[in-house]
Amino acid sequence: MIPKAIEWLEDRLRILDQTKLPQEQSFIDLTDYHDVVLAIEEMRVRGAPAIGVAAAYGIALGAQGIKSESKAEFFSQLDQILQAFSTSRPTAVNLFRAINRMKKIAAMSGSIPEIKEALVNEARRIHHEEIQATSHLSQLGAALIKDGFTILTHCNAGPLATAGYGTALGVIKAAKEQGRRVSVMATETRPLLQGARLTTWELKQENIPVTLITDSMAGYFMHRKKIDCVIVGADRIAANGDVANKIGTYTLAVLAKENHIPLYVAAPTTTIDFSLLSGNEVPIEERDSQEVTHIQRMPIAPEGVKAANPAFDVTPHNYVTTIITERGIIKEPYEKELAKIARR
Ligand code: MRU
């Protein structure tokens, strides 16, 4: 069984350290919200929905630690906590959605002890909703997977990334549970190898056959008709259906279109950002270049060489065959269809 990625233990937050997987299953107990911010920045907890859930619990934890009995002082310290989380990782919109919900619930509640309790309850609610949404969208999306399919996936969009059922991997798991034979090709996902380290680990535990490939092998297998569909998750979906996801997704989308292979994006509606007209407006996280010049801290490039490290890219909506959400499976015209599911 896959251990819980995130667990709230009343006075602390327990996370499975994803940087240590698959070699080591090690848990970290966080009692200070600064450490939760750091765990998100260092990607000990990662994946858009999981980042939102971890931040919500982290904010509740931070609020518990505020000692002041003055409400003005309490809100001023709470603002600092919210601010710290808002700069942790910029691309996944689930983070900002969670921060806004926590801010709103604090403003609506009464005394300081009541606010603290309301914040814990709201974090629990956010977590529960992600579990429900990812489980439901997976059941819906499974209908797209036919018996015998080989599915290409990128990065990691399973239980670890969602603190729930999974999105892209959730759809694959649900197809298997519904009795279809499926197999997966997982890209290693440089630079941080979420595919090699996490996706293959999760799939092995689900007894789903998986073949690990390097990112650059995807076109070879598509051209040889070894892939039936591509499924990925998303970090932010703009109102027009453009999808920000792990760097390399755009490359896979172009290759898929060229080879007439459908590209499915699986994401809860918490990943849709209706305030952005297109993917051009998505803030793309640029991470430390050492993640490129090194693999697992081992240098692989000449010392001092310049390296770029955008963590995400944007796939224009015309490359996306279908977006799978818990409120339904939608196709072009995305602007209209996404607006419709927002009203549902
Ligand atoms: O940088 P990461 O590992 O947080 O990136 C994760 C992804 O890009 C996932 O595909 C995305 O968050 C969807 S997870 C359900």
Side-chain angles (χ1 to χ4, degrees):
M1 224 182 74
I2 296 167
K4 285 184 184 148
I6 298 174
E7 193 176 3
W8 175 250
L9 298 169
E10 301 309 327
D11 60 343
R12 67 213 135 102
L13 182 63
R14 176 169 292 172
I15 60 158
L16 174 62
D17 185 349
Q18 297 190 32
T19 63
K20 298 270 183 357
L21 288 171
Q23 283 80 13
E24 217 182 286
Q25 277 185 46
S26 118
F27 294 89
I28 321 174
D29 283 1
L30 307 166
T31 51
D32 182 329
Y33 83 89
H34 293 102
D35 294 333
V36 184
V37 173
L38 204 62
I40 294 173
E41 284 170 0
E42 292 176 343
M43 293 174 62
R44 297 183 191 283
V45 55
R46 46 146 298 282
I51 292 170
V53 171
Y57 283 128
I59 292 163
L61 192 65
Q64 281 187 347
I66 301 175
K67 296 282 178 283
S68 174
E69 287 175 13
S70 134
K71 244 176 138 179
E73 178 54 28
F74 177 85
F75 276 107
S76 145
Q77 289 193 34
L78 185 64
D79 266 352
Q80 285 173 25
I81 296 168
L82 298 171
Q83 182 58 27
F85 280 98
S86 71
T87 52
S88 59
R89 291 199 72 192
T91 303
V93 77
N94 307 58
L95 170 71
F96 302 96
R97 208 176 266 278
I99 291 171
N100 287 338
R101 274 182 65 165
M102 297 299 275
K103 190 173 179 175
K104 214 161 153 189
I105 209 79
M108 275 166 34
S109 310
S111 64
I112 291 176
E114 282 165 350
I115 298 172
K116 290 181 179 178
E117 193 185 333
L119 286 169
V120 171
N121 290 338
E122 188 67 357
R124 280 213 179 95
R125 215 170 292 131
I126 289 170
H127 192 177
H128 180 70
E129 285 170 16
E130 288 296 3
I131 294 171
Q132 298 279 98
T134 53
S135 157
H136 195 192
L137 74 86
S138 298
Q139 298 302 324
L140 292 180
L144 298 167
I145 309 299
K146 299 204 177 87
D147 190 46
F149 258 26
T150 297
I151 303 143
L152 181 91
T153 190
H154 187 52
C155 194
N156 170 261
L160 290 170
T162 59
Y165 190 80
T167 55
L169 290 196
V171 171
I172 297 168
K173 276 180 357 175
K176 187 193 172 218
E177 278 162 21
Q178 291 173 12
R180 259 116 48 220
R181 284 164 302 158
V182 288
S183 60
V184 175
M185 276 206 180
T187 54
E188 62 176 350
T189 320
R190 267 288 281 152
L192 293 178
L193 304 170
Q194 292 92 326
R197 296 186 302 105
L198 310 175
T199 297
T200 58
W201 183 74
E202 288 186 326
L203 288 171
K204 274 187 78 147
Q205 296 189 59
E206 297 288 345
N207 285 320
I208 296 175
V210 56
T211 304
L212 175 64
I213 61 172
T214 65
D215 298 348
S216 51
M217 292 175 189
Y220 171 89
F221 286 109
M222 285 190 197
H223 191 59
R224 292 190 169 218
K225 306 208 179 309
K226 301 290 184 205
I227 311 280
D228 297 294
C229 69
V230 178
I231 310 184
V232 291
D235 284 80
R236 204 185 284 232
I237 300 174
N240 70 345
D242 291 352
V243 173
N245 191 49
K246 180 51 57 197
I247 190 78
T249 303
Y250 170 60
T251 317
L252 292 175
V254 174
L255 280 169
K257 191 165 189 159
E258 171 70 18
N259 288 282
H260 311 289
I261 296 166
L263 172 86
Y264 303 133
V265 174
T269 45
T270 47
T271 303
I272 305 169
D273 185 347
F274 289 100
S275 73
L276 303 188
L277 297 180
S278 85
N280 295 335
E281 297 170 48
V282 176
I284 300 293
E285 178 181 11
E286 182 75 33
R287 293 185 61 86
D288 195 322
S289 61
Q290 271 225 357
E291 292 176 352
V292 175
T293 55
H294 292 58
I295 294 184
Q296 310 271 58
R297 296 177 194 277
M298 281 272 293
I300 55 161
E303 209 184 322
V305 75
K306 195 173 148 203
N309 191 12
F312 301 94
D313 60 22
V314 174
T315 299
H317 58 89
N318 55 305
Y319 288 96
V320 179
T321 312
T322 295
I323 299 178
I324 304 159
T325 76
E326 77 282 11
R327 297 193 196 166
I329 295 181
I330 58 167
K331 285 177 176 286
E332 293 273 23
Y334 286 116
E335 201 165 333
K336 199 166 135 215
E337 295 302 317
L338 285 171
K340 243 195 239 171
I341 64 161
R343 287 195 295 269
R344 224 172 266 167

